[in-house]
Amino acid sequence: MVIKRILDCFRKQPAAEKEDTHASSEDENKERGNWSRKSDYILSMIGYAVGLGNVWRFPYLAYKNGGGAFLIPYTIMLALAGLPLFFLECSLGQFSSRGPISVWKVVPILQGVGVMMVLITTCVSIYYNIIIAYSLYYMFASFQSILPWSECFGWADEKCSKTIRGSCNVTLFANDVVTYNLTYVKERNLTCMKDSRVLEQVDLPSKQYWEKVALKQSSGLDETGEIVWYLALCLLLAWIIVGASLFKGIKSSGKVVYFTAVFPYIVLIILLVRGATLDGAFDGIDYYIGNQSNFTKLKEAEVWKDAATQIFFSLSTAWGGLIALSSYNKFHNNCYSDAILVCVTNCATSIFAGFAIFSILGHMAYISEKSVSDVVDSGFGLAFIAYPEALTQLPISPLWSFLFFFMLLTLGLDSQFAMIETIITSIQDAFPQLMKRRRVPITITCCSILFLLGLVCVTRSGIYWVNLIDYFCGGWAILIAAVLELVGICWIYGANRFIEDIEMMIGKKHWAFWLWWRACWFFISPILLTTILVWSLVTFEYPSYGTILYPTWGVALGWCLICFCILWIPLVAIVKVVQAKGNVLQCCRPHGTWGPALSQHRGDRYQHIPDDHKEKNVVEIPTISALDGYDNDAYL
């Protein structure tokens, strides 16, 4: 009898496995699930939008493009390009409760845009976790009493030096001109003759540590070399963290972001307070956004292009993540106020981070007797060379180093959570029944595959692969997706119809409220993004990492990668037209099941949607009869 009862318990177990850990009985959408709290969604969106670029790219762009003057084009571009597209994507995902691929039931012929978004996100998630692995490595390396890049230790070569090396001419009492090295001149408190200094090329310890120890960097993409085992372990740990945080989807990641989204702000405040008390801090801030501001820079078109590009990529629009995260909102959530809040927070974070970065860089310039312009950098150079070098100048430097790289880790994880959730959401939309039973195994499988694909990026040539993927995948394809998204929603589906959809969620608004959004969605944003796209293609430069140019086959591979992603747009369009037997107009109409996911939200406008429809095929094309009773007039 005992054995029988035990066997009965095991027989009941499969029923428990059928429970969807992504949804709960308290959710409005019990099939798909919703965010447990509004704060889960807001923090996830802020974490997704506020990423590494806010810390290591914006401050440098502001310094380079006129300091405080750069905030003028930056704010204008936020209003013209960033916020309109951000609001559009949040509304689109929330209204339909669909991910970035199946949401294109709104304009089936452009469903390839959604496929491209997910593919680009997949490629970016591979190298983005490599940056998280770098941060983990440096964070672990900070657990030492003396930071390993603070001096030229055994791994350094003869070019390594923390001080300037060279010589200059000095006039002695008898008007004799003698050449001394700069160290001797400094020790004797002598003065170099004007324009007589000849400097040797030297590398900072942090630079050589980054290249020789952390990366074991090879000579180029041609020299792959072996896998750097400790970076591979850090990459594995990064994927374990991501997988563990997403094993219950938004139910688990929505809790993790309470730490990962808030902690970077705590560290930035600490770094700013500490940096502001250091000698030379004011000089650094002055270069960033103070008296060095150059308003004549506003006459240069390059400054406006940099502002538009930064705001566009900083907000993570057209990647699919905003649609995916918003698709788990409750139907009547105020997505308008959410979009405003997240966008303003993102831009304010960028500006605030610049103060924390430049205050400490100013101190570094003061200690090394250099100009701030000689120590400032962006991207990998700022995060893993310039700033770590500056941290070695501080008392208790291991503590500040740990905090900085832990901040980079949390900044990266938030964005990575959203990117993987975008991929998982797309799979869930395609196979909803499978995801109910197998969400955890599918999440583990997805993370495992992406880990294996990322191993090439932790070889000795890994940094070249990371830079190559970023150069090609993080640019033109996203701009193309954004332009087609605006064209599809506003010109084919119809901006007026889309506004009616939004008002079903947030309530009726006065017609004047929509004037600005109509102007941006119809004309300003598409023209602006198209201009940036054309400009980027016309001014294409051969990719390089530092002074090392990529081989021809590497550049060709980059073009093949981006073409593979873009190819899905015409390919899916052709499939749609063939399925519709050549009726292109039918392919431009919304699918028969397009509309709110739940029947209580459909109202009269979407009463044609059958209550019990099951989405078994995301590429299904509706017949004309399926659209009977649907408002198909005036696409604009």
Side-chain angles (χ1 to χ4, degrees):
M1 291 294 293
V2 174
I3 296 176
K4 184 176 183 299
R5 289 182 180 179
I6 294 174
L7 292 174
D8 288 342
C9 291
F10 277 102
R11 291 190 188 101
K12 294 177 183 179
Q13 192 68 26
E17 292 179 355
K18 293 183 180 180
E19 293 184 5
D20 185 7
T21 58
H22 198 63
S24 70
S25 57
E26 299 177 358
D27 289 335
E28 181 180 79
N29 189 330
K30 294 177 174 55
E31 288 292 321
R32 201 167 188 277
N34 299 109
W35 295 98
S36 299
R37 297 180 182 86
K38 171 115 179 219
S39 55
D40 295 5
Y41 168 68
I42 294 296
L43 288 176
S44 295
M45 291 287 277
I46 290 175
Y48 181 42
V50 177
L52 296 169
N54 296 73
V55 173
W56 75 14
R57 179 167 168 78
F58 174 82
Y60 175 79
L61 283 179
Y63 152 77
K64 169 189 167 187
N65 291 307
F70 183 69
L71 297 182
I72 296 175
Y74 186 70
T75 305
I76 292 174
M77 292 305 169
L78 168 65
L80 296 180
L83 185 55
L85 197 58
F86 195 96
F87 179 37
L88 181 145
E89 291 196 359
C90 292
S91 304
L92 196 61
Q94 180 175 308
F95 178 77
S96 62
S97 298
R98 302 174 190 270
I101 295 180
S102 60
V103 78
W104 284 100
K105 285 176 178 289
V106 62
V107 184
I109 199 170
L110 291 179
Q111 196 169 58
V113 175
V115 177
M116 184 180 73
M117 287 179 176
V118 175
L119 288 175
I120 292 293
T121 296
T122 303
C123 293
V124 171
S125 68
I126 294 173
Y127 87 75
Y128 209 81
N129 233 23
I130 303 297
I131 302 174
I132 295 176
Y134 294 157
S135 302
L136 281 169
Y137 171 78
Y138 269 80
M139 189 181 74
F140 293 142
S142 300
F143 287 107
Q144 303 181 48
S145 58
I146 299 177
L147 291 176
W149 57 85
S150 59
E151 296 290 344
C152 298
F153 294 111
W155 39 262
D157 59 27
E158 64 280 357
K159 291 175 60 179
C160 181
S161 175
K162 289 180 71 73
T163 60
I164 298 174
R165 291 199 304 214
S167 61
C168 71
N169 296 332
V170 176
T171 304
L172 300 181
F173 295 107
N175 292 327
D176 294 332
V177 177
V178 182
T179 301
Y180 290 124
N181 66 59
L182 295 177
T183 303
Y184 182 87
V185 170
K186 183 178 180 181
E187 290 174 351
R188 297 296 187 275
N189 200 24
L190 301 176
T191 303
C192 293
M193 296 178 61
K194 186 178 180 180
D195 298 329
S196 67
R197 296 208 320 175
V198 178
L199 301 180
E200 296 180 18
Q201 183 179 357
V202 296
D203 293 332
L204 290 170
S206 58
K207 182 176 186 294
Q208 291 209 355
Y209 182 85
W210 166 246
E211 295 175 350
K212 294 177 176 291
V213 181
L215 298 179
K216 291 187 178 294
Q217 184 177 326
S218 67
S219 59
L221 198 63
D222 293 312
E223 184 186 350
T224 302
E226 70 279 2
I227 291 177
V228 182
W229 65 269
Y230 44 82
L231 288 182
L233 289 178
C234 289
L235 179 62
L236 177 61
L237 177 59
W239 279 114
I240 290 174
I241 294 172
V242 172
S245 300
L246 292 174
F247 79 104
K248 285 188 176 181
I250 59 171
K251 299 298 186 185
S252 54
S253 66
K255 302 299 180 290
V256 177
V257 293
Y258 280 90
F259 175 75
T260 57
V262 174
F263 183 76
Y265 291 95
I266 298 174
V267 175
L268 284 174
I269 292 172
I270 294 173
L271 290 174
L272 177 58
V273 172
R274 182 67 185 100
T277 63
L278 299 172
D279 293 330
F282 178 77
D283 293 334
I285 294 174
D286 196 36
Y287 264 86
Y288 168 51
I289 208 167
N291 294 328
Q292 299 292 331
S293 297
N294 182 5
F295 285 89
T296 61
K297 281 276 189 178
L298 298 180
K299 300 177 182 178
E300 300 177 13
E302 185 73 19
V303 173
W304 293 84
K305 181 249 186 185
D306 283 347
T309 303
Q310 174 63 17
I311 196 67
F312 177 74
F313 291 110
S314 175
L315 291 174
S316 301
T317 49
W319 295 81
L322 299 179
I323 297 175
L325 295 179
S326 298
S327 68
Y328 296 107
N329 275 335
K330 293 181 179 179
F331 186 77
H332 291 294
N333 173 64
N334 192 338
C335 53
Y336 170 74
S337 61
D338 292 347
I340 300 291
L341 175 62
V342 175
C343 288
V344 171
T345 301
N346 174 75
C347 296
T349 303
S350 297
I351 297 169
F352 180 72
F355 286 99
I357 297 297
F358 270 82
S359 62
I360 292 183
L361 289 181
H363 177 66
M364 176 185 174
Y366 173 82
I367 293 295
S368 58
E369 298 181 352
K370 297 178 181 178
S371 169
V372 176
S373 60
D374 293 331
V375 299
V376 71
D377 207 337
S378 67
F380 293 112
L382 173 64
F384 300 108
I385 299 176
Y387 210 75
E389 182 67 29
L391 293 174
T392 63
Q393 313 289 341
L394 303 180
I396 325 176
S397 55
L399 172 63
W400 303 112
S401 178
F402 169 79
L403 288 175
F404 175 72
F405 288 110
F406 195 20
M407 179 189 71
L408 290 187
L409 170 65
T410 53
L411 280 172
L413 283 175
D414 287 331
S415 300
Q416 188 72 356
F417 291 159
M419 285 189 278
I420 302 305
E421 186 59 50
T422 301
I423 300 170
I424 299 298
T425 297
S426 300
I427 298 174
Q428 177 180 342
D429 289 346
F431 309 102
Q433 298 304 316
L434 177 64
M435 288 297 291
K436 276 189 177 183
R437 303 181 183 183
R438 297 288 183 266
R439 181 178 181 89
V440 173
I442 288 175
T443 301
I444 294 174
T445 302
C446 178
C447 292
S448 300
I449 293 174
L450 293 175
F451 164 72
L452 294 175
L453 291 175
L455 285 177
V456 69
C457 296
V458 290
T459 60
R460 294 186 61 191
S461 65
I463 190 64
Y464 303 111
W465 288 104
V466 169
N467 190 62
L468 185 71
I469 298 172
D470 178 52
Y471 188 86
F472 282 97
C473 288
W476 303 302
I478 297 300
L479 289 169
I480 292 172
V483 173
L484 290 178
E485 188 175 41
L486 287 166
V487 170
I489 300 301
C490 300
W491 289 89
I492 300 179
Y493 178 66
N496 292 338
R497 181 188 294 177
F498 183 57
I499 287 172
E500 291 180 7
D501 292 341
I502 297 175
E503 290 182 333
M504 289 177 66
M505 298 184 292
I506 67 175
K508 194 74 175 176
K509 300 291 183 182
H510 191 271
W511 62 270
F513 174 86
W514 296 107
L515 287 179
W516 174 257
W517 301 105
R518 280 191 173 97
C520 289
W521 288 339
F522 271 123
F523 305 108
I524 300 175
S525 296
I527 292 173
L528 188 59
L529 294 175
T530 302
T531 302
I532 297 173
L533 173 62
V534 173
W535 191 344
S536 300
L537 292 172
V538 170
T539 58
F540 171 77
E541 296 180 358
Y542 214 74
S544 64
Y545 178 74
T547 59
I548 302 174
L549 292 176
Y550 280 85
T552 303
W553 67 267
V555 178
L557 186 63
W559 280 111
C560 289
L561 185 62
I562 191 175
C563 288
F564 171 75
C565 296
I566 296 174
L567 183 65
W568 288 90
I569 297 176
L571 188 63
V572 172
I574 292 172
V575 171
K576 297 290 187 181
V577 173
V578 170
Q579 288 181 341
K581 298 180 180 179
N583 192 335
V584 178
L585 181 61
Q586 181 176 314
C587 298
C588 295
R589 292 184 178 129
H591 188 278
T593 58
W594 165 255
L598 302 180
S599 57
Q600 65 262 35
H601 298 142
R602 292 171 189 158
D604 295 334
R605 295 183 65 228
Y606 293 95
Q607 62 181 348
H608 66 280
I609 303 177
D611 291 338
D612 59 346
H613 79 276
K614 300 294 182 182
E615 299 176 33
K616 296 182 179 180
N617 188 350
V618 296
V619 297
E620 181 185 357
I621 292 292
T623 60
I624 297 297
S625 59
L627 297 170
D628 287 346
Y630 191 78
D631 180 14
N632 282 315
D633 56 309
Y635 278 80
L636 299 181

